[in-house]
Structure formats: C-alpha cells, structure tokens
Amino acid sequence: MKAIEIENLNKIYNNRVQALSDVSFYVSEGEVFGLVGPDGGGKSTIFNILATLLLPTSGQASVLSRDVVNDAKIIRQLIGYLPGVFSLYPDLTVEENLIFFATMYKSRIKDNLPLIRPIWKQLVPFKDRRAGKLSGGMKQKLALCCALIHKPALLLLDEPTTGVDPVSRAEFWDILTNIQKQGITVLVSTPYMDEATRCDRIALIQEGKIIKIDTPTNIMEAYRGFLYTIKVENVFSVMEKLKEFDFPCNYYPYGQELHIAFYEAPEIVLQKFCSFLREQNIKFEELSPIQPTIEDCFIELVKLK
Ligand code: ADP
C-alpha cells in the first residue's frame, strides 16, 4: 500500500514562480522517506499541498488513498504535520500545548502516551515552562509530541532539524526510527545531506524538480566519478587555477577541503593532475581517494545532468 502518491504535481505561485515542475513520487506505508535538497527546492510546497493547506496548480496528490483537494478534511484527521516554521503556541506552557493539540484532535493524552513517552520524558522537567522559552532542540521535541498525540498514520516533518544542534539532531533521528517501528509512515525533509542516510529512500530535489529517487546506498553506489579530497591553503584560488586543467573533472569546496572527481582512469589522470599542481605552484598537503557522500552524489547529479 502507498501512503503518499504524487503524479505530475505542479505549483506556480502568483502566476509567476514555478515552485514545482512535474513532481512524481510515492511513499510506501511504513517507510521513512526523505526529501533532500537546498533551500528553495520546493520541499515546503510539497508538504503544504500534502497537508491540504495549499492547492496544487495541476497534477494529482493523494494521502492515505485520499485526494488532497477533495478529501482535505479527512486527511487532516489522519496526518501529523510539523511545519518548517515554529508551530506551537509560545505563550502556552509545554503541557498546555500538548493538551491543546490532543483536544483539537479529540484524543486523550493517556491513550497515546506510550508512543511519545521517550520524548515526553525529556520534556517533563520543563512542563510548566512556556514553549517560546525552550531551546531549539526541545521546541522540536515538543512539536513532535504535539504532531504525534493523536497517533497519526502518516507524519509529515518539514525540516525538523534545521537550526538544531548536532547532538539533538542525531537524537531526533533515533526518535524517528522508533516512530517508524510503531508502524507510522514518515515523510521528512532536510537540507543536511548527511541526514539523508537515515532514510529508507530519498528524493533529491532542486528548483522544483526531482533529480533522483532511490535508497541512499544505491545513490552512493551509482556515483560515476573517482573522488579525491585535497587539502590546500586557499580553496577558491586553487579552483580558479583548476579552470586551466584540461581533463574531465568536477571540483568544489567541501568544508575546509577541496573535492575533485575525475572521469577518466585515475592512474592516468592523477599523474597529469599532480604535474599540473606543480606547474601552477599549488601547494597541497594531502590528496586521497574517498567514498562519495550523498552531497557528492547530489553535486554530481546536478553538474552532469
Ligand atoms: P524549500 O522548502 O525547499 O526551501 P519552498 O517550497 O519553500 O522550498 O519554495 C520553493 C520556491 O517557491 C522558492 O523559489 C520560493 O521562493 C517560492 N515560494 C514559496 N512560497 C511562496 C509564496 N507563498 N509565494 C511566492 N513564492 C513562494
């Protein structure tokens, strides 16, 4: 069974901005499916359409076999939605927010407490604090509790870890794995490519178009280049000089280092590359082969399309 089915979905804002172009994908029941891509890709637009808060310009989308346009009311009862922007009531306390959301969905906290207990336990010491006064990670945990308190069949999480510290981010993903074990389907978006590996399948999205859909492992195995990392003093001046390097390759800054992918047998091209570095007087500390990350795959797919 499919929890989400989207076919040729288009969204144009104000007759001007094409936010989605022919987007099609499905999410199977029980999956954790990730929408991964940079800002402005169209992720929030997809979430808002699936949550029935925004009408598509054309195309079809169904959630739990209900149409997002015709069955909006039913869909709202069946899903939990955590929007990208802070969605709680900042002046209500932690506990009051949870009670409010439970009441709105006509469910009782005690019925679904086991589902949220591991997260709720961490919030209990702060239950009388106003939600607006929580840290970023804690706010997201409370928002997740509120989205889960009616035990939805599908959870929509739009960038739940943006702006959250790395430790809380990792913890958040552990929580999602637990939620999946309870049989809840999860659609989650993230701009952090490293988080993509925590999903069963991902769709890489850019400028409103899906570039690739597969498991993270398959995407990484399909990488075509021979990837190296090189430590240089000034990444950007080296990139300028590399424009003269006359072999098929792809290079970009990656943290403090430079990643370079070659598209010919590395035995040959590496020799040429090292001679080029010497000729150009480019000093480097280390040049080593590495396994591509999802981010490297994303860059390859975008640049070689
Ligand atoms: P993401 O969530 O991946 O950052 P969005 O769905 O928010 O992407 O945005 C996709 C595109 O649509 C962007 O170019 C954005 O500027 C535009 N957009 C989003 N919401 C609106 C809106 N309400 N009116 C006009 N343009 C919008």
Side-chain angles (χ1 to χ4, degrees):
M1 274 284 281
K2 301 206 169 93
I4 297 174
E5 260 187 299
I6 294 183
E7 253 177 75
N8 300 108
L9 198 65
N10 286 283
K11 178 67 193 179
I12 304 170
Y13 287 106
N14 313 324
N15 289 322
R16 227 169 22 89
V17 184
Q18 175 106 32
L20 299 177
S21 305
D22 274 331
V23 166
S24 301
F25 69 90
Y26 68 86
V27 178
S28 299
E29 265 181 16
E31 249 188 324
V32 171
F33 189 98
L35 281 176
V36 183
D39 268 356
K43 303 182 295 295
S44 297
T45 302
I46 294 176
F47 278 100
N48 284 329
I49 291 173
L50 293 175
T52 76
L53 301 174
L54 187 70
L55 289 171
T57 306
S58 66
Q60 257 86 50
S62 67
V63 169
L64 303 162
S65 307
R66 270 89 166 186
D67 183 74
V68 290
V69 179
N70 300 319
D71 308 320
K73 267 194 176 168
I74 308 168
I75 289 176
R76 286 177 199 177
Q77 292 295 322
L78 300 174
I79 62 167
Y81 176 38
L82 197 154
V85 288
F86 183 56
S87 55
L88 303 170
Y89 291 91
D91 291 335
L92 294 185
T93 66
V94 167
E95 192 170 32
E96 285 164 350
N97 265 286
L98 190 67
I99 294 169
F100 174 82
F101 278 89
T103 313
M104 204 170 68
Y105 282 106
K106 299 188 180 72
S107 58
R108 289 184 306 176
I109 292 178
K110 68 171 192 226
D111 292 343
N112 294 323
L113 200 58
L115 182 64
I116 61 162
R117 187 167 282 128
I119 329 169
W120 184 245
K121 252 186 2 208
Q122 301 177 31
L123 285 159
V124 167
F126 311 102
K127 72 182 171 48
D128 296 322
R129 188 176 291 186
R130 285 175 193 230
K133 297 264 184 260
L134 293 172
S135 69
M138 279 299 184
K139 273 182 187 156
Q140 287 306 70
K141 281 176 196 158
L142 175 59
L144 190 58
C145 286
C146 293
L148 278 169
I149 197 60
H150 61 298
K151 199 168 196 298
L154 170 70
L155 194 54
L156 303 175
L157 304 173
D158 191 5
E159 298 200 7
T161 55
T162 296
V164 173
D165 67 90
V167 175
S168 301
R169 273 171 54 193
E171 210 180 40
F172 201 87
W173 279 92
D174 291 341
I175 293 170
L176 286 196
T177 307
N178 260 326
I179 289 171
Q180 180 183 31
K181 283 190 194 139
Q182 316 276 335
I184 296 174
T185 307
V186 180
L187 176 69
V188 55
S189 69
T190 177
Y192 303 116
M193 304 267 171
D194 57 320
E195 293 186 343
T197 49
R198 304 286 306 252
C199 300
D200 295 320
R201 286 190 307 137
I202 53 175
L204 298 176
I205 183 167
Q206 195 195 33
E207 292 173 3
K209 296 193 187 84
I210 303 266
I211 300 169
K212 185 95 185 163
I213 302 176
D214 213 330
T215 62
T217 310
N218 284 351
I219 289 178
M220 289 190 280
E221 281 176 359
Y223 191 79
R224 286 190 273 159
F226 300 96
L227 186 65
Y228 285 76
T229 182
I230 176 167
K231 256 194 201 156
V232 289
E233 222 164 67
N234 186 333
V235 169
F236 292 96
S237 84
V238 172
M239 282 175 59
E240 218 24 62
K241 290 183 179 167
L242 278 172
K243 287 181 183 162
E244 305 289 318
F245 184 59
D246 209 10
F247 279 84
C249 63
N250 201 350
Y251 47 87
Y252 42 89
Y254 199 98
Q256 303 296 313
E257 296 170 13
L258 185 76
H259 278 191
I260 180 159
F262 300 114
Y263 291 89
E264 282 180 10
E267 310 81 68
I268 300 161
V269 79
L270 265 182
Q271 265 190 5
K272 306 268 182 206
F273 184 62
C274 288
S275 323
F276 177 85
L277 293 176
R278 270 194 301 275
E279 275 161 32
Q280 297 283 331
N281 223 352
I282 299 171
K283 293 192 178 47
F284 64 96
E285 265 181 42
E286 204 183 298
L287 174 66
S288 4
I290 48 164
Q291 290 298 318
T293 62
I294 290 288
E295 190 161 356
D296 293 306
C297 297
F298 185 88
I299 293 169
E300 178 175 81
L301 288 163
V302 170
K303 290 209 176 182
L304 301 187
K305 74 180 170 202

